Amino acid sequence: MDLITRENPARVDEVVGSVPVTDPAAVDAAVRRADDAFRDWSGLPVAERVAALRHGADTVAARLEELAPLLARESGKPLADSRGEIGFAVTFLRWVCDEAPAVLAATEIDDDAGRLVVRRKPYGVVGCVTPWNAPVILAVLKLGPALAAGNTVVLKPSPLAPLTVSEVAAALPAVQVVHGGAETGRALAGHPLVRKVAFTGGDAAGREIAATAGAMITPAVLELGGNDPAVFLPDFALSGADYERLVMASFATGGQVCMAAKRLYVPRARIAEFTEAYLAAAERVLVVGDPLDPGVTMGPVISAAAAARIRALVADAAGGTVTPLGRSAPGHDPASGYFVTPCLVTGLDDHAPLVAQEQFGPAVPLLAYDTEGEVLARANAGELGLAASVWSADEERAFALAGRLSAGFVFVNTHNRTGMSLRAPFGGVKRSGYGREYGREGLLEYVQSAVVHVPAAFRPGGPGMAPGAYPGGVHDGTPRAAGTGRPPP
C-alpha cells in the first residue's frame, strides 16, 4: 500500500505520521458509500442533523490539547495558532448548528397571487478538496454547512497536512476521507455521483478542479489565492498595538495565508515614519523558531520547494532593499527545517515579481504612493481579488475607498483573521474564485431551491388562463388582467 508520509517542517528528520493513498477505485468506493448514506442522512430533520454535528464539535473540543500539537508538528503552525485554529473550527461548527434551522427552513407565500413554497434541498454527495495552510478550519468551513444542509461529504485533505483534519473529520457524521494528490482530486471532482465540489487552494489546482467538475456539469465553490493590498490613507493613525497586528496580518502562518496583507501602500510623505514603526513592531512580536516552543509566533514554511520559491522571489527583487524582520527564539537552528527569514522589501516597482505575484510567504513589499486615484489603480491591478484593507482615521472615507477596491472582502483598520466575522460572507472576485463561505451565503451554497407553485388562476374556483398566456397578464403584446388571460376592463 502506498503511503503519504508527513515530516515535521521544523525538524525535517522527524516523521509525524502517514496515511494511505486512495487510488481512483477506492475513491469510487468512498463516493458510493457517501451516496448510499445520503438518503438516510438527508431524510433526518434538520434538528437531528445539527444535534449530531454539535456532538461532533464537542468531541473535537474535548481533544483540542491532543490535536493542537499534531497540527503544529505536521504544518509548522505555532502551537498557540494551532489551538486557535481548532478552537475556531469548533466555534464555527456550533455557529452553523445555531443558524442552520432558520436559514434552511422552507418559505411559503399564500396570497392573492397563489401559493408558493420554496424548499432548500441538499445536492447529494459533496466532494471537498482542501489545502494545508489552515487544514482544519478550511475543511470545516465546507463540512459544517454541507452536513447541516443534508449532504454527505467526501473530503480530500492536502497530502502536506492530512493528519489532524482526518481526526476532526472522523468526529463528524456522514463524512468519508480520501487521501492523495492530483490523481485523487481528479477522481473525486470528476465522479458522476458527486453533485457539488468545494475547493480551497492555489490557482493551478483550482483551474484543474474547475475544469474537471465543469466537464461533469458539477457546480463548484472555489476559494483561490489573493495578492491582497493594504492601503493606508494619508490620515492613518496607528498605535504600537495596531502596527503589531499589521505585522501579524502579513506573517501569521509564515505568510502562507490567502488573505494575508501582501502589498503595503503608504503615502510617500509618511513612508519613513511608517517603516520605523513597522520594524519596531516586528521586533516585538515576530519570533521565529520551532512551533512547539512557547513564545514562537512564526514557524517554518511548509516544504523545501516553498522555501526555495520564496527565497527566489526575494533574490529577484532587483533594486529593492531587503530588511530582515523580527528575531529568532533562543537556541533556534534555522537549518533544522524549512525556515525562511521574514523580511520587508522597499524600493520596488509594481512590476517586480514580489509585488505582482502572490508571494505566499514571509516577504512583504512596502510601496509608496502619491494620490488616492493612483493607489486605487495600483491596488486593483492584477487578476486576483480576494481581500484588501483600508486604514484611515475617518471611517467614512475608508468605506468610500473600500467600495472601489476590486476585492470580495475589504477590511477596515485591520486585516486577515482579526477582521473576519462568522456572519460575513467571504470569497473572491476576478481570478480569486467564486462562491462564498461564512455567513448565510456560506450555508446556502450547499442547497438548491426547489419550488412548488400554484398560481391563483388554477386554485379551486380560479378563473384559469388562456393557453400560452404569460404570467403577469402579458400575452403576445396585448395587455391582460393579471391571472385571467383576459383584457383588463
Side-chain angles (χ1 to χ4, degrees):
M1 177 184 294
D2 291 335
L3 294 176
I4 296 168
T5 300
R6 182 60 191 148
E7 80 270 18
N8 183 336
R11 296 189 296 270
V12 295
D13 57 349
E14 174 190 324
V15 173
V16 182
S18 62
V19 293
V21 174
T22 311
D23 64 24
V27 172
D28 174 68
V31 172
R32 292 184 184 280
R33 287 194 300 271
D35 186 60
D36 288 343
F38 171 67
R39 178 175 297 180
D40 288 342
W41 178 248
S42 63
L44 293 175
V46 66
E48 292 187 30
R49 294 199 299 265
V50 300
L53 194 58
R54 196 182 298 276
H55 176 74
D58 293 344
T59 301
V60 174
R63 297 185 62 196
L64 190 149
E65 291 303 323
E66 170 194 353
L67 294 174
L70 178 61
L71 179 57
R73 290 171 60 222
E74 70 169 323
S75 70
K77 189 188 296 283
L79 184 57
D81 283 353
S82 296
R83 288 192 186 101
E85 178 178 336
I86 297 168
F88 182 58
V90 170
T91 297
F92 177 77
L93 286 172
R94 290 171 174 163
W95 179 88
V96 167
C97 292
D98 292 340
E99 297 294 320
V103 174
L104 301 176
T107 59
E108 182 169 349
I109 301 172
D110 191 340
D111 59 16
D112 290 345
R115 184 180 178 190
L116 170 66
V117 177
V118 181
R119 294 186 173 90
R120 310 290 190 184
K121 292 199 172 182
Y123 282 87
V125 179
V126 175
C128 298
V129 180
T130 56
W132 49 263
N133 59 325
V136 175
I137 185 57
L138 292 176
V140 163
L141 284 175
K142 300 159 184 58
L143 295 174
L147 294 170
N151 303 279
T152 53
V153 177
V154 180
L155 169 68
K156 191 202 84 65
S158 167
L160 292 175
L163 305 174
T164 313
V165 69
S166 295
E167 294 291 321
V168 171
L172 302 179
V175 180
Q176 307 280 324
V177 180
V178 298
H179 292 288
E183 182 183 39
T184 307
R186 283 192 295 270
L188 179 58
H191 198 287
L193 292 178
V194 168
R195 304 304 184 190
K196 185 149 192 176
V197 171
F199 172 82
T200 298
D203 175 81
R207 289 173 185 269
E208 184 168 357
I209 289 288
T212 302
M216 301 300 295
I217 321 180
T218 303
V221 178
L222 300 179
E223 198 261 89
L224 306 178
N227 190 12
D228 301 358
V231 177
F232 297 83
L233 291 176
D235 66 345
F236 75 86
L238 274 62
S239 67
D242 292 330
Y243 276 105
E244 292 172 5
R245 185 160 35 87
L246 173 62
V247 168
M248 295 313 299
S250 291
F251 293 100
T253 316
Q256 301 166 118
V257 178
C258 58
M259 60 181 176
K262 299 187 177 81
R263 296 177 283 157
L264 310 180
Y265 290 96
V266 176
R268 193 176 307 278
R270 300 190 64 185
I271 199 88
E273 164 202 347
F274 180 96
T275 304
E276 181 181 2
Y278 190 91
L279 296 178
E283 185 69 18
R284 293 192 299 271
V285 302
L286 202 52
V287 182
V288 181
D290 190 298
L292 296 178
D293 289 348
V296 164
T297 59
M298 195 188 103
V301 296
I302 193 66
S303 66
R309 179 186 57 78
I310 296 158
R311 292 188 184 113
L313 276 176
V314 174
D316 196 32
T321 299
V322 178
T323 304
L325 297 174
R327 51 199 164 88
S328 291
H332 169 54
D333 176 13
S336 65
Y338 307 129
F339 290 93
V340 175
T341 301
C343 63
L344 184 71
V345 184
T346 56
L348 297 178
D349 63 36
D350 288 359
H351 300 292
L354 188 65
V355 180
Q357 300 175 18
E358 179 188 19
Q359 68 271 39
F360 216 68
V364 174
L366 174 59
L367 307 154
Y369 75 90
D370 294 301
T371 68
E372 189 171 311
E374 170 206 341
V375 75
L376 180 67
R378 293 169 65 190
N380 284 341
E383 288 297 298
L384 301 179
L386 186 60
S389 62
V390 180
W391 303 67
S392 172
D394 183 340
E395 186 175 288
E396 291 303 319
R397 184 178 182 186
F399 267 72
L401 181 64
R404 301 169 67 194
L405 288 170
S406 297
F409 198 112
V410 181
F411 308 99
V412 172
N413 290 331
T414 193
H415 200 121
N416 208 331
R417 66 187 183 215
T418 57
M420 299 297 291
S421 170
L422 294 173
R423 69 180 185 178
F426 182 87
V429 299
K430 299 193 291 188
R431 303 292 184 197
S432 286
Y434 43 80
R436 293 295 180 262
E437 295 183 319
Y438 295 99
R440 178 184 177 90
E441 290 85 348
L443 277 163
L444 293 176
E445 287 286 356
Y446 295 95
V447 290
Q448 301 177 91
S449 298
V451 170
V452 180
H453 179 231
V454 57
F458 303 112
R459 302 187 79 175
M465 294 176 70
Y470 282 86
V474 178
H475 173 59
D476 292 338
T478 304
R480 307 280 178 174
T484 69
R486 297 187 293 272

